[in-house]
Amino acid sequence: MDDFSIVFIVGLLTFIAGIFSLKRENRLFGDSVNTTAKVVAYYEYTDYPNTITMYTMAVEYYHSDGRLIQAREQSSSNRQKYPVGTELKIAYSKEKPDLFILSGDNSRKIIMVGMIIVGLAMMTAIGVVALNS
């Protein structure tokens, strides 16, 4: 397999992964429930190879049926973003109530759209180069 094919396949896979991730995100949070959550803890770990300390926020909130949900954020950070005890506005998934995002946070969607754009750009660029060579 030549370099053109490899770059094209990587671009195609990036494009497809971006589309599937965006569709999943829209399915999970397209009709989410807004509520208030309280930061209750941070889980700390050291990133490989023991260079950066990472933190995953844990929150608790009440489901619309009254159940208390305790959930961890799906991403980590190199700092504790909010002090323990802070109340945050979140949106949780009706399909999976233990999945939440901060209200108004579109960073995950931006990354997925970026994947789609990068994949398309890779496929287009390699196609142009291949046609002109």
Side-chain angles (χ1 to χ4, degrees):
M1 194 179 298
D2 64 357
D3 293 340
F4 293 121
S5 300
I6 292 170
V7 173
F8 182 83
I9 290 170
V10 169
L12 180 63
L13 292 175
T14 303
F15 174 75
I16 291 170
I19 287 177
F20 280 113
S21 297
L22 189 58
K23 286 182 76 165
R24 178 182 183 269
E25 187 81 0
N26 286 336
R27 186 188 82 236
L28 289 173
F29 294 105
D31 186 27
S32 56
V33 178
N34 293 310
T35 191
T36 302
K38 182 186 277 189
V39 178
V40 293
Y42 278 92
Y43 294 90
E44 181 179 319
Y45 65 94
T46 304
D47 195 16
Y48 180 81
N50 298 329
T51 56
I52 301 172
T53 300
M54 301 296 288
Y55 301 92
T56 303
M57 179 173 62
V59 301
E60 63 182 22
Y61 49 92
Y62 287 95
H63 188 276
S64 57
D65 67 6
R67 289 181 290 145
L68 180 65
I69 305 287
Q70 295 179 335
R72 289 186 189 188
E73 191 174 23
Q74 294 179 35
S75 60
S76 296
S77 172
N78 63 355
R79 62 183 175 81
Q80 295 181 8
K81 296 186 269 187
Y82 305 98
V84 172
T86 302
E87 290 193 354
L88 305 169
K89 293 181 189 265
I90 65 159
Y92 68 85
S93 169
K94 286 182 180 179
E95 183 179 328
K96 295 185 176 193
D98 60 333
L99 295 180
F100 70 93
I101 57 174
L102 295 177
S103 291
D105 181 12
N106 293 316
S107 60
R108 292 164 46 100
K109 285 187 178 182
I110 291 169
I111 290 169
M112 293 168 201
V113 169
M115 289 173 63
I116 293 168
I117 292 169
V118 167
L120 280 173
M122 288 175 72
M123 290 186 301
T124 302
I126 209 65
V128 169
V129 169
L131 288 175
N132 291 328
S133 60

